Amino acid sequence: MSYKKRTGKKLFNAKATTIDGVKMKSRLESSMYKLLKDSGLEFYYEKETFVIVDSFRFENDSFERKANNKGEMINRGNKKIQPIKYTPDFTVDKNDVKYIIETKGFRTETFNMRYKLFKKFISDEELNYKLYSPHTQKECQEVMRLILEDINKN
């Protein structure tokens, strides 16, 4: 997956990788995977999906084009709106705490909004989750250190 500015400059190029038969979307994810595996902790990759905004029925008119901005402006209201979901990269459940790790080299506006909604979901539900969002391999190592330190103090 690559993202480009309007000027045509590449911002980044995520390279898919496979380790132990698990297909990951980026090398950063594979770095975190290796660190988790080496730690001996039980962890999961993209196992759990959270519905952070439920689906609903939009009863009003809404004149717009398709999501890809093609076609005519027509009434696309009066229909069911799909839920907004969030699937973290990695989860670790240990000592009644859920550690959630989201590896992101480049954060899009869409991801930022979804992540904020996920934080609100955690707050509203009063869940005992700890979130980590490394952007580099060095930060992945720091996340691993922080999680192990937290687990060992409990």
Side-chain angles (χ1 to χ4, degrees):
M1 179 186 301
S2 66
Y3 292 88
K4 295 182 179 185
K5 290 183 182 179
R6 288 187 181 196
T7 60
K9 292 182 181 178
K10 265 189 197 177
L11 294 177
F12 84 97
N13 230 348
K15 185 176 180 180
T17 57
T18 302
I19 301 175
D20 298 334
V22 179
K23 294 180 182 179
M24 286 165 266
K25 296 180 188 88
S26 71
R27 290 177 292 208
L28 190 60
E29 286 181 1
S30 64
S31 293
M32 193 72 236
Y33 180 93
K34 289 175 189 173
L35 289 167
L36 284 162
K37 185 177 176 183
D38 290 346
S39 75
L41 292 172
E42 185 175 346
F43 68 95
Y44 302 96
Y45 176 72
E46 292 188 346
K47 178 187 176 196
E48 201 167 353
T49 297
F50 299 88
V51 175
I52 52 179
V53 176
D54 289 325
S55 64
F56 62 95
R57 179 106 189 135
F58 186 73
E59 302 292 344
N60 299 59
D61 290 342
S62 180
F63 289 86
E64 54 194 82
R65 289 189 270 175
K66 290 182 181 178
N68 63 5
N69 284 329
K70 294 188 177 179
E72 297 179 38
M73 279 189 75
I74 62 171
N75 187 0
R76 298 190 186 281
N78 303 302
K79 65 179 179 182
K80 182 179 178 182
I81 304 298
Q82 295 300 312
I84 298 174
K85 299 177 182 180
Y86 172 69
T87 303
D89 292 335
F90 299 96
T91 54
V92 175
D93 294 305
K94 192 76 171 171
N95 301 337
D96 297 322
V97 177
K98 185 179 290 281
Y99 300 91
I100 292 180
I101 305 165
E102 182 64 52
T103 57
K104 281 282 183 256
F106 177 77
R107 293 172 68 138
T108 64
E109 287 181 37
T110 302
F111 171 78
N112 288 338
M113 181 65 67
R114 192 178 307 266
Y115 201 56
K116 286 178 186 177
L117 288 170
F118 182 59
K119 287 179 177 179
K120 181 174 182 346
F121 170 81
I122 290 169
S123 296
D124 290 350
E125 298 294 319
E126 298 179 359
L127 300 170
N128 192 15
Y129 291 3
K130 294 188 179 187
L131 306 180
Y132 302 85
S133 185
H135 299 279
T136 65
Q137 289 182 7
K138 185 176 181 180
E139 288 178 0
C140 286
Q141 293 170 352
E142 178 68 5
V143 164
M144 198 69 257
R145 187 190 67 74
L146 290 168
I147 290 172
L148 290 172
E149 185 178 281
D150 190 66
I151 288 170
N152 290 330
K153 79 176 181 186
N154 291 329

